[in-house]
Amino acid sequence: MTAHPGADTAHPERGGPAGSGYPSVQGVLHSAFAVTLLNGAARGAQLLFLLAIGNVYGISGTTDAVFFLYSPLTVIVTVSASVAEVVVMPALHRIHSEAGASALLRSLARRGVLVSLVLSALTLLVAYGLVPGTSPWTPLILLPVPALAAVSALLAGVLNARGTHAHAVVGPLYGASAAVVGLATLPLSAASLAATLLLFELGRAAGLALHALPMSPAVGGRDARTEETYRWAMGAARWQALGALLVGVSPFVDLLFARTLGTGAITSVEYASRLSALVPVLFSGKILLTYAWMSREAARGTLRHREVHLHAVSIFVWSLIVTAFAVALSGPIIGLAYSSAEMSDTARGELALLLACYLAGTASFVTGVVYVRALSAYGRSDVLACIAGLHLILNAVLDAVLIGPLGLYGIGLATTLTYTLTLSVFAYAFRRSCPEPATT
């Protein structure tokens, strides 16, 4: 690291004119485009890897078993990523010492890996008991997945804090490259599918480390400023972990409901929900750079509500347009994505309709992320945790209400309605809980 983590505000392409803190128009456009392009390529590689799994393994009891074990681990992965996004960049923006940053990162890494391993072991013990007949090697292979994801999330946070956003988003490209090798060489079995998912996390962590470690900060201890920031980070992390856990449990709740619908339902929900991430990827660069700006402005006490709302409205309008096209094309998307999979035309048609149900809520989801990042920039993880609890309750209730008359499609629509309802809650909570800077 050649400068302290918050030093990128002096660069027009990252933070506008020195001292302004607000991104220049051209800087945001070009940077957002570049980051979105790279993130799209990385997420596209991840999506192709997931599609390759679908085309190689199809929909079967084996995929149901592996994805059922893998699903609760993705909750832990979601928590790790969410905590890192909320804690790492804002914390490093508050520290102006390389040695302090190094001490903070070491502490966060140790805690993140340890907690992830413990939670993974406990979760797999419970989940394994619900899928009798599965080889014990499958959960053992999956055990390190959340710990590796925690390392990746921390490294991405470091790269974002340094302003090297393009490097921070390419992790899935490395992961997919490693995983495809396993998919092409390993025999078809539950353990092989689990090993392929593990290879993805190994590749992602290794790739991000290649970018982050050459610029590692100096070794040092925690001074008073670092200690204060660490306490702030741990407080925010605890609330964010609770909130992310509650939100992350929602997909697992979906799978529990899907499990009641027969063989293949779990895999269908997994495939459709993953494909629905296509729309958010298109706005990832803009949201990431907006978050970096909000984090710096909140640290200075100059983040204005009007600017946040304008960003949110703009993203909502554009994402709604993209969502409409995606819903209309859900049939061709499934046909192209799973052209060689062992699926009947009826199964493809059902999967396309399920995908459309999930896609309908992505505009609300993407816009909600803007407010999540704004609340995170202020350190209001306690507010996010409360909204996450509401999200989980709404999703479970809507699953229970809609699955009866609509079956599998009710699960997708429950997710869409949950995102739509919680968006207004996010906007209201931001306005009420985050202080408006005084006018000078």
Side-chain angles (χ1 to χ4, degrees):
M1 182 183 294
T2 58
H4 67 76
D8 60 343
T9 56
H11 296 275
E13 73 277 11
R14 296 175 186 167
S20 71
Y22 193 85
S24 68
V25 175
Q26 290 297 321
V28 167
L29 287 176
H30 290 300
S31 296
F33 176 77
V35 173
T36 300
L37 189 64
L38 284 170
N39 189 45
R43 294 294 179 182
Q46 182 179 5
L47 179 60
L48 289 175
F49 158 60
L50 293 172
L51 294 179
I53 288 178
N55 282 286
V56 171
Y57 282 89
I59 295 177
S60 65
T62 297
T63 57
D64 278 359
V66 175
F67 284 133
F68 189 78
L69 289 170
Y70 182 63
S71 181
L73 297 186
T74 64
V75 175
I76 304 174
V77 170
T78 299
V79 171
S80 298
S82 182
V83 169
E85 288 172 350
V86 168
V87 169
V88 177
M89 181 163 60
L92 292 181
H93 281 161
R94 286 166 167 78
I95 294 181
H96 301 285
S97 141
E98 293 186 9
S102 177
L104 176 65
L105 292 173
R106 290 198 305 273
S107 298
L108 293 175
R110 283 195 298 268
R111 179 161 295 196
V113 169
L114 178 61
V115 171
S116 296
L117 284 173
V118 171
L119 289 177
S120 298
L122 294 175
T123 300
L124 284 170
L125 279 175
V126 174
Y128 182 64
L130 297 176
V131 282
T134 304
S135 166
W137 283 107
T138 302
L140 286 174
I141 292 169
L142 291 172
L143 178 63
V145 164
L148 288 167
V151 172
S152 296
L154 182 67
L155 292 171
V158 172
L159 291 166
N160 280 324
R162 293 170 179 165
T164 54
H165 305 297
H167 290 161
V169 300
V170 296
L173 182 59
Y174 292 109
S177 300
V180 166
V181 174
L183 189 62
T185 58
L186 294 174
L188 298 185
S189 68
S192 295
L193 180 53
T196 301
L197 295 170
L198 174 62
L199 281 173
F200 176 85
E201 294 300 340
L202 279 168
R204 178 163 64 165
L208 290 172
L210 289 175
H211 294 292
L213 295 183
M215 299 183 291
S216 296
V219 176
R222 297 204 316 233
D223 55 19
R225 176 66 178 272
T226 305
E227 195 65 39
E228 178 185 353
T229 304
Y230 180 76
R231 287 195 297 269
W232 173 88
M234 287 299 99
R238 281 189 287 270
W239 280 110
Q240 184 61 24
L242 174 61
L245 177 62
L246 293 172
V247 172
V249 165
S250 289
F252 186 63
V253 170
D254 290 345
L255 293 187
L256 289 175
F257 278 99
R259 193 164 178 255
T260 66
L261 298 175
T263 301
I266 289 176
T267 305
S268 295
V269 168
E270 182 73 14
Y271 289 167
S273 60
R274 296 280 184 175
L275 275 174
S276 68
L278 285 169
V279 173
V281 166
L282 298 177
F283 298 90
S284 57
K286 174 65 174 175
I287 291 176
L288 179 56
L289 290 169
T290 299
Y291 180 35
W293 160 69
M294 289 191 295
S295 174
R296 289 190 296 265
E297 293 299 289
R300 297 173 180 143
T302 56
L303 181 59
R304 299 197 175 279
H305 289 189
R306 181 176 178 274
E307 299 293 344
V308 174
H309 291 311
L310 286 175
H311 278 293
V313 170
S314 173
I315 286 176
F316 179 76
V317 171
W318 284 107
S319 59
L320 195 61
I321 293 171
V322 174
T323 294
F325 280 102
V327 169
L329 295 172
S330 57
I333 289 173
I334 291 297
L336 179 64
Y338 297 107
S339 58
S340 60
E342 293 183 7
M343 295 184 199
S344 65
D345 291 339
T346 300
R348 285 192 178 88
E350 292 174 349
L351 191 56
L353 185 53
L354 180 60
L355 173 61
C357 292
Y358 273 103
L359 283 170
T362 51
S364 296
F365 168 76
V366 170
T367 309
V369 172
V370 177
Y371 289 110
V372 170
R373 298 293 180 260
L375 287 161
S376 300
Y378 274 105
R380 295 310 308 265
S381 298
D382 55 334
V383 175
L384 292 175
C386 293
I387 299 175
L390 174 63
H391 177 101
L392 176 60
I393 293 171
L394 278 173
N395 189 71
V397 170
L398 289 170
D399 273 342
V401 170
L402 297 177
I403 195 174
L406 299 175
L408 197 59
Y409 311 125
I411 296 175
L413 287 176
T415 300
T416 285
L417 289 173
T418 301
Y419 285 138
T420 302
L421 292 171
T422 54
L423 172 58
S424 59
V425 179
F426 276 126
Y428 176 78
F430 171 70
R431 183 172 63 86
R432 290 298 301 269
S433 61
C434 297
E436 181 80 45
T439 303
T440 56

